[in-house]
Amino acid sequence: MTKMMPAMAKALRLTRAGNLGAATRLIQSTLTTGSVKRNARRGMDGLAAVEALQRTMSAATLALPAPKSKAKVKTKAKTTPKPRIAPKLKPIVPKPRSAAAQRAGSFAERSFTGAQGALDYWLYLPSRPARGLPLVVMLHGCSQTPVDFARGTGMNALAEELGFIVAYPGQSASANFARCWNWFKPGDQQRNKGEPGVIAALTGAIIAEHGADSRRVYVAGLSAGGAAAAILGAAYPDVYAAIGVHSGLACGAATDMMSAFTAMRNGSQRTHSPDRSGRFVPVITFHGDSDTTVHAINSAQIVETAAKQNATPVILSREQGDTGKGRSFTRDINRAPDGVALIEQWTIHGAGHAWSGGDAGGSYTDAAGPDASRAFADFFLQHSLPSRARD
């Protein structure tokens, strides 16, 4: 263990400096050295050393580098011992994204505890209260918070404009010290287990409390959150009508740390196997082709998996455009015969690992890109679950 401490410290310094490539190479080298393997075989001390290094690097190398420090939102300590949803903080009013969203609804932190586990989350309710609204679940990337993610994506303003509820689950530091969703762990890739289980349970609780339309529920995320969204779509096709993955990876792309490194850099062949006997889940992806954290091939693999699962004949089309802000993009669409988009793949040329078209007030955003939030919302609202999917 003592011999590994310098490697751990150096890897952290490299990560915090934004040099993820060098940090990744260091952990790969350290984990495969003969001395580490011998220590691991000697007993729990060696195994603990390897796991300590993995935990140290998991958050930093599996999604986003640490952002610049921002004011933290103070939260109250958890005191709820039994299953329930409870408000935590006084509502805050988000800054409107456009003139169309001058009236703002409520945005407040709440907590959920159920049989599957517990999560803190932020919930946006439009100013025009109504039953039967769609629900969008947004999963942040590593080192982000729900408030930061809401600010950067501007999804609350779209919710106000278009009329839907937005939930932002927050990963805890106890589950992952840099607040990454654990997309690379087998225990967090299955229905009714781990993180998918608790997020799906939270989704159901929000539907019940606020009377949301259970046929129009969607999930999207960035980076590790995008990978988690892909997992939720695969594990719960009867809950989520469509999914959005921004700069993420396919379900099952990795099952441990080392395969996670490989998938992030080169893609993976270990994705969730298409099953045409189950419901096809429409998917939209956004990815920068200059992303050096999660290679854009992962977006192509998500689309390929979805295309194999879809049994409906499709009409393929391609659109190319320019935002006028220095970003061009390619949009590949698979449409059903009735014109509804079943699969969309947006490739943002020259963009890195950031939410396209996002607000600079949030972390990891690229204001020059096309508006991913609006594209996600427009795509989602085309889709709903068949009635039997919720029976």
Side-chain angles (χ1 to χ4, degrees):
M1 182 71 171
T2 303
K3 294 181 179 179
M4 296 185 65
M5 293 306 296
M8 294 170 65
K10 185 176 181 180
L12 280 175
R13 288 196 300 272
L14 290 169
T15 300
R16 289 167 179 166
N19 194 343
L20 294 182
T24 300
R25 289 190 294 273
L26 175 60
I27 188 174
Q28 289 174 326
S29 174
T30 304
L31 289 174
T32 55
T33 57
S35 60
V36 171
K37 290 180 179 178
R38 285 192 298 272
N39 285 339
R41 285 193 294 267
R42 286 173 185 168
M44 291 304 296
D45 289 343
L47 180 59
V50 173
E51 290 179 344
L53 182 56
Q54 290 177 334
R55 287 194 299 270
T56 301
M57 293 301 298
S58 63
T61 56
L62 296 182
L64 306 172
K68 295 180 180 179
S69 60
K70 294 185 178 181
K72 294 184 178 179
V73 178
K74 294 183 179 180
T75 61
K76 296 181 180 179
K78 298 180 187 178
T79 59
T80 305
K82 59 183 180 180
R84 69 176 189 135
I85 288 181
K88 295 193 70 182
L89 296 181
K90 294 180 180 180
I92 64 173
V93 178
K95 181 180 178 181
R97 180 176 181 147
S98 64
Q102 289 300 315
R103 290 193 307 166
S106 66
F107 190 39
E109 187 178 26
R110 299 166 69 86
S111 63
F112 167 78
T113 303
Q116 297 290 344
L119 274 179
D120 291 340
Y121 67 102
W122 283 73
L123 188 71
Y124 183 83
L125 297 172
S127 61
R128 297 162 296 198
R131 309 292 284 182
L133 293 180
L135 168 64
V136 177
V137 179
M138 296 284 287
L139 302 175
H140 61 76
C142 293
S143 73
Q144 292 183 309
T145 66
V147 172
D148 176 28
F149 194 43
R151 184 184 300 116
T153 61
M155 193 62 81
N156 290 353
L158 280 174
E160 183 67 27
E161 175 188 338
L162 301 176
F164 56 85
I165 299 168
V166 194
Y168 300 86
Q171 175 66 300
S172 68
S174 61
N176 185 295
F177 84 96
R179 303 182 188 277
C180 302
W181 301 103
N182 292 304
W183 59 272
F184 54 94
K185 293 184 176 180
D188 294 304
Q189 297 174 348
Q190 303 174 49
R191 185 181 179 96
N192 296 329
K193 293 185 178 181
E195 292 170 359
V198 70
I199 294 171
L202 167 62
T203 300
I206 294 171
I207 293 170
E209 181 181 3
H210 298 283
D213 186 348
S214 63
R215 296 181 59 207
R216 295 187 294 163
V217 179
Y218 317 98
V219 61
L222 170 66
S223 192
I231 291 169
L232 283 163
Y236 293 94
D238 55 333
V239 174
Y240 301 101
I243 66 171
V245 181
H246 199 312
S247 309
L249 302 94
C251 176
T255 56
D256 55 30
M257 288 289 295
M258 296 310 296
S259 60
F261 295 135
T262 300
M264 291 171 64
R265 288 181 172 275
N266 305 309
S268 173
Q269 299 303 315
R270 303 178 62 177
T271 55
H272 179 74
S273 299
D275 179 8
R276 287 199 175 190
S277 65
R279 174 183 169 267
F280 164 72
V281 181
V283 59
I284 178 171
T285 69
F286 263 67
H287 218 122
D289 63 8
S290 294
D291 189 335
T292 58
T293 302
V294 178
H295 196 283
I297 191 174
N298 287 283
S299 191
Q301 290 184 332
I302 293 170
V303 168
E304 180 182 5
T305 300
K308 289 178 179 178
Q309 186 183 35
N310 176 41
T312 304
V314 296
I315 301 169
L316 305 179
S317 65
R318 169 170 287 190
E319 300 174 3
Q320 293 182 313
D322 191 308
T323 65
K325 301 177 182 179
R327 287 275 184 263
S328 60
F329 61 88
T330 299
R331 179 190 182 196
D332 292 302
I333 314 169
N334 291 17
R335 297 186 187 276
D338 62 2
V340 174
L342 300 177
I343 304 171
E344 286 195 29
Q345 180 182 8
W346 291 66
T347 302
I348 318 306
H349 305 300
H353 199 67
W355 189 272
S356 180
D359 189 317
S363 63
Y364 310 107
T365 60
D366 178 14
D371 191 341
S373 296
R374 185 170 291 277
F376 277 27
D378 289 346
F379 180 84
F380 288 161
L381 296 177
Q382 297 178 67
H383 300 284
S384 62
L385 291 177
S387 298
R388 64 181 180 276
R390 296 294 300 183
D391 292 343

